[in-house]
Amino acid sequence: MKVGLLTGGGDCPGLNAVIRAVVRRVSDAGGECVGVLEGWRGLVRGGFRPLAAAEVEPLIGQGGTLLGSSRTNPYKNPDVDVPSLRRHFQEAGLDALVVVGGDDTLGVAARLVNDFQLPIVGVPKTIDNDLMLADFSFGFDTAVNVVVESVERLRTTAESHRRVIVVETMGRNTGWLACFAGMAVGADYVLVPEVPIDVPHLIAALRRLRGASKNHAIVVVAEGARYPDASPALLDVDAFGHPRLGGIGALVADAVERQLRVETRTVVLGHLQRGGAPTAHDRVLATRMGLAAADRVLRGRFGTVLTLRGSRIDDAPLDSSALATRALDLAYYQDAAAFFY
Ligand code: F6P
């Protein structure tokens, strides 16, 4: 059996651990694996590379993805002849394809299953943790820890200069990352897309802190949070039509500086949150996901996507209903807010 492996969308720590686990399980079963290069771009152009078990063995702790990634969406590009993807799949002699991606990449996989019955097994990944498919996605824990480490550094300089530092995190349209990291660092305020920003409350909370002799503050804001009444900016969009987010940190910092009259700085953590080695938690989860995906392939359980409920990995039909996104569970926000409300 010849199994293709593809990683698409924004990369995230743990992708290489999935690759390693799929290759290991498939080769132990007597099969071979082939990497599809740079997400769907590889299937559009016919870009493949062999994947040997010995080569991927050391990858468990490496960030990024050996196969490269892209946000190529064959269904949204009029220059792409979609049936050519099936042709390239067949020409490469593939019997199955494991697709590791978020809602966009898996959405393309679902359409290929539907349109051409391609034998696909999907694996959810995202640092945003915004997929209904998984209670927690690999990559998320690592990203939370990057934010925590960064904020701990920022706190010491904020303290020295008696400043407020506003830290903008990723997370797309959800506040999972900002909320978890904010709670873990004891942020003095956390702003998420799911809760409208209440500027007077934010200012009052920061003022109260200074009154209580804490002379600095950390505010964590998710990139998708909306400033009240801010006119929607003309944002660039990616191949899946998602606006490139960012800039809310500066708006919040400006309001804090003007209204609180305290020197304020903004730090946008950006792609730092996606880089570097996965945490032990993400290595374990990604490895389990890779083994589970390979097991589905070996059993011929195609047209499915893995799910994670609690610590249990299962699968569901790979269709658009499975790929819904998931807002931050507000119970977490309420717990974070116990420290600033
Ligand atoms: O979905 C993952 C994510 O990292 C989001 O948090 C962020 O908005 C987006 O990708 C950034 O995408 P790009 O790498 O294309 O700038």
Side-chain angles (χ1 to χ4, degrees):
M1 178 172 236
K2 201 168 179 185
V3 181
L5 252 163
L6 176 156
T7 53
D11 70 343
C12 89
L15 289 171
N16 280 324
V18 175
I19 294 169
R20 170 180 177 266
V22 173
V23 173
R24 178 60 182 262
R25 173 91 2 131
V26 169
S27 47
D28 282 354
E32 64 176 299
C33 286
V34 172
V36 180
L37 301 178
E38 299 165 17
W40 292 117
R41 190 187 289 151
L43 214 54
V44 169
R45 295 184 180 164
F48 300 98
R49 58 159 289 179
L51 284 171
E55 178 195 13
V56 298
E57 183 48 33
L59 290 187
I60 189 158
Q62 276 182 33
T65 161
L66 175 71
L67 303 176
S69 192
S70 71
R71 293 196 188 277
T72 305
N73 181 349
Y75 281 98
K76 289 243 173 91
N77 183 342
D79 297 333
V80 172
D81 169 40
V82 179
S84 71
L85 276 77
R86 177 182 46 183
R87 206 178 56 246
H88 289 141
F89 177 90
Q90 287 165 344
E91 282 167 8
L94 298 179
D95 300 300
L97 183 63
V98 174
V99 176
V100 193
D103 53 334
D104 294 328
T105 301
L106 293 174
V108 171
R111 289 188 69 173
L112 291 171
V113 168
N114 184 61
D115 296 351
F116 305 109
Q117 293 75 53
L118 280 196
I120 291 179
V121 173
V123 179
K125 66 87 215 168
T126 168
I127 65 158
D128 301 332
N129 205 39
D130 62 350
L131 294 174
M132 280 292 186
L133 286 168
D135 290 351
F136 287 98
S137 304
F138 68 83
F140 175 65
D141 184 64
T142 307
V144 168
N145 277 285
V146 171
V147 180
V148 168
E149 269 173 49
S150 310
V151 172
E152 278 169 358
R153 286 174 186 278
L154 292 170
R155 201 182 264 292
T156 62
T157 172
E159 195 166 3
S160 308
H161 290 267
R162 280 78 167 112
R163 284 173 173 157
V164 176
I165 297 192
V166 178
V167 184
E168 183 181 302
T169 70
M170 283 188 168
R172 192 148 268 162
N173 297 313
T174 67
W176 287 100
L177 188 49
C179 182
F180 270 58
M183 203 188 305
V185 295
D188 301 297
Y189 212 100
V190 179
L191 299 163
V192 294
E194 292 84 352
V195 180
I197 295 182
D198 179 346
V199 179
H201 187 272
L202 164 67
I203 303 298
L206 296 179
R207 190 165 281 135
R208 213 167 39 237
L209 270 185
R210 292 183 94 80
S213 78
K214 187 170 176 187
N215 55 17
H216 71 284
I218 296 288
V219 176
V220 175
V221 55
E223 62 178 358
R226 299 257 174 73
Y227 198 79
D229 304 328
S231 57
L234 280 178
L235 300 166
D236 284 349
V237 291
D238 66 23
F240 285 89
H242 296 297
R244 293 216 169 84
L245 298 170
I248 180 69
L251 291 176
V252 170
D254 183 58
V256 169
E257 186 157 85
R258 277 188 295 104
Q259 297 185 36
L260 197 64
R261 297 183 183 286
V262 172
E263 240 190 313
T264 303
R265 297 288 186 266
T266 317
V267 175
V268 180
L269 293 176
H271 293 81
L272 278 174
Q273 294 158 96
R274 291 215 316 239
T279 57
H281 173 276
D282 283 342
R283 294 177 198 199
V284 171
L285 179 55
T287 299
R288 292 180 62 222
M289 285 277 181
L291 294 173
D295 287 342
R296 271 38 179 204
V297 166
L298 295 168
R299 289 185 352 235
R301 208 171 154 73
F302 298 122
T304 56
V305 60
L306 299 182
T307 59
L308 182 77
R309 299 283 165 248
S311 61
R312 189 186 150 81
I313 296 175
D314 211 328
D315 61 53
L318 175 54
D319 56 32
S320 50
S321 63
L323 301 177
T325 52
R326 184 180 56 137
L328 170 67
D329 177 346
L330 289 179
Y332 287 108
Y333 188 76
Q334 278 151 15
D335 287 345
F339 296 88
F340 54 78
Y341 253 78

